[in-house]
């Protein structure tokens, strides 16, 4: 089955530092990956759509200069939280499709728990 | 703007009981609808995907239905087990140029042994 791997699974950082989260499609190529954020006891909110070889598309209210997304290859997208603050503490999850078709299911990574102290 | 709502927010049932989780969406122009399971602190596991042209999908003890015209989907779980305890999320995929998966608010299910 399709596997999406996310790393790290959890990270603790100090306020003001930057953190990079990796999302890899292990057994398929993904031209598009999606980044979600989930606060405690809330649902997932789409942050941005990551497109291989081009700029990411950010959702309204998401700061593109704070959440840097790079999708340099068909199997890797990275999300960098720059100058992290405690309010950035959240669960970040990436997802991808096995096929570049809208009728194919999305597969999700196991998420990254970010805690900013 | 598409909004996806799930009722109930939480549900507790005894083991063996059949149950139904509800999902409603405001814009019927969806491409497909997907049901997920999320265990505490974990990522998402895809359960069922229903295309807009389909009425239902089945996998083992799970059956999901879709009624686009009324903006509703249900997830039926037969003979529930303690291992089914998790948060269940539905997500509607918006087609066209939107290309987004919008998640519902989730239902926290607890199956008591």
């Amino acid at each position: 089955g399709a596997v999406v791997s996310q790393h790290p699974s959890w990270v603790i950082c100090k306020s003001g530092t930057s953190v990079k989260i990796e999302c890899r499609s292990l057994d398929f190529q993904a031209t598009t990956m999606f980044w979600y954020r989930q606060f405690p006891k809330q649902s997932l909110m789409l942050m941005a759509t990551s497109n291989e070889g081009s700029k990411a598309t950010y959702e309204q209210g998401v700061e593109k200069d704070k959440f840097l997304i790079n999708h340099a290859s068909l199997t890797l997208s990275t999300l960098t939280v720059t100058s992290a603050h405690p309010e950035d503490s959240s669960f970040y999850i990436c997802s991808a499709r096995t096929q570049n078709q809208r009728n194919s299911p999305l597969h999700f990574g196991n998420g990254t728990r970010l805690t900013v102290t | 703007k598409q909004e996806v709502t799930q009722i109930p927010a939480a549900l507790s049932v005894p083991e063996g009981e059949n149950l139904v989780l509800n999902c409603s969406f405001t814009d019927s122009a969806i491409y497909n609808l997907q049901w997920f399971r999320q265990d505490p602190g974990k990522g998402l596991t895809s359960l069922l995907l229903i295309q807009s042209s389909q009425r239902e999908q089945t996998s083992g003890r799970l059956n999901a239905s879709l009624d686009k015209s009324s903006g509703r989907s249900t997830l039926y779980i037969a003979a529930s087990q303690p291992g089914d305890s998790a948060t269940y999320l539905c997500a509607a995929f918006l087609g066209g140029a939107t290309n987004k998966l919008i998640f519902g608010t989730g239902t926290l299910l607890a199956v008591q042994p």
Side-chain angles (χ1 to χ4, degrees):
Chain A
V3 178
V4 176
S5 175
Q6 226 177 299
H7 180 80
S9 57
W10 61 270
V11 58
I12 301 173
C13 70
K14 292 186 177 181
S15 186
T17 61
S18 296
V19 175
K20 179 184 286 187
I21 302 170
E22 294 186 347
C23 179
R24 295 180 184 273
S25 54
L26 296 186
D27 49 1
F28 64 97
Q29 294 182 332
T31 56
T32 303
M33 291 185 176
F34 302 89
W35 286 95
Y36 289 82
R37 179 168 55 184
Q38 185 179 34
F39 290 108
K41 298 187 178 181
Q42 295 187 23
S43 191
L44 280 74
M45 299 299 295
L46 180 64
M47 298 176 65
T49 302
S50 169
N51 301 297
E52 187 268 335
S54 64
K55 291 183 179 180
T57 303
Y58 290 82
E59 293 301 298
Q60 189 175 8
V62 178
E63 301 175 57
K64 62 179 182 180
D65 294 330
K66 180 170 185 61
F67 299 99
L68 301 179
I69 292 174
N70 185 296
H71 195 154
S73 77
L74 288 172
T75 59
L76 175 64
S77 175
T78 61
L79 168 68
T80 301
V81 183
T82 63
S83 186
H85 288 108
E87 57 264 33
D88 297 325
S89 298
S90 186
F91 192 55
Y92 294 86
I93 310 178
C94 69
S95 68
R97 281 197 175 80
T98 54
Q99 304 173 44
N100 193 25
Q101 298 173 11
R102 294 180 179 180
N103 59 358
S104 60
L106 272 175
H107 296 275
F108 285 76
N110 283 328
T112 297
R113 174 76 58 192
L114 170 63
T115 302
V116 184
T117 61
Chain B
K1 179 184 176 183
Q2 176 74 276
E3 293 185 2
V4 183
T5 307
Q6 290 184 246
I7 296 174
L11 180 64
S12 180
V13 300
E15 181 178 4
E17 191 163 298
N18 302 325
L19 58 100
V20 176
L21 307 181
N22 298 292
C23 171
S24 61
F25 43 95
T26 55
D27 187 345
S28 62
I30 63 170
Y31 208 79
N32 58 51
L33 188 134
Q34 199 165 352
W35 281 91
F36 296 88
R37 168 188 173 137
Q38 185 177 32
D39 292 290
K42 303 293 185 181
L44 276 69
T45 300
S46 179
L47 299 174
L48 290 165
L49 170 70
I50 310 177
Q51 302 296 344
S52 61
S53 58
Q54 298 175 325
R55 297 284 292 182
E56 65 178 322
Q57 284 287 327
T58 299
S59 176
R61 295 183 292 109
L62 305 179
N63 176 277
S65 67
L66 176 63
D67 185 343
K68 273 188 60 177
S69 60
S70 66
R72 295 179 181 178
S73 176
T74 61
L75 178 67
Y76 174 83
I77 302 177
S80 58
Q81 303 171 358
D84 295 330
S85 299
T87 295
Y88 289 81
L89 295 160
C90 68
F93 183 65
L94 309 183
T98 310
N99 195 28
K100 296 180 185 179
L101 192 67
I102 306 299
F103 279 85
T105 47
T107 294
L108 176 61
L109 172 66
V111 180
Q112 307 299 330

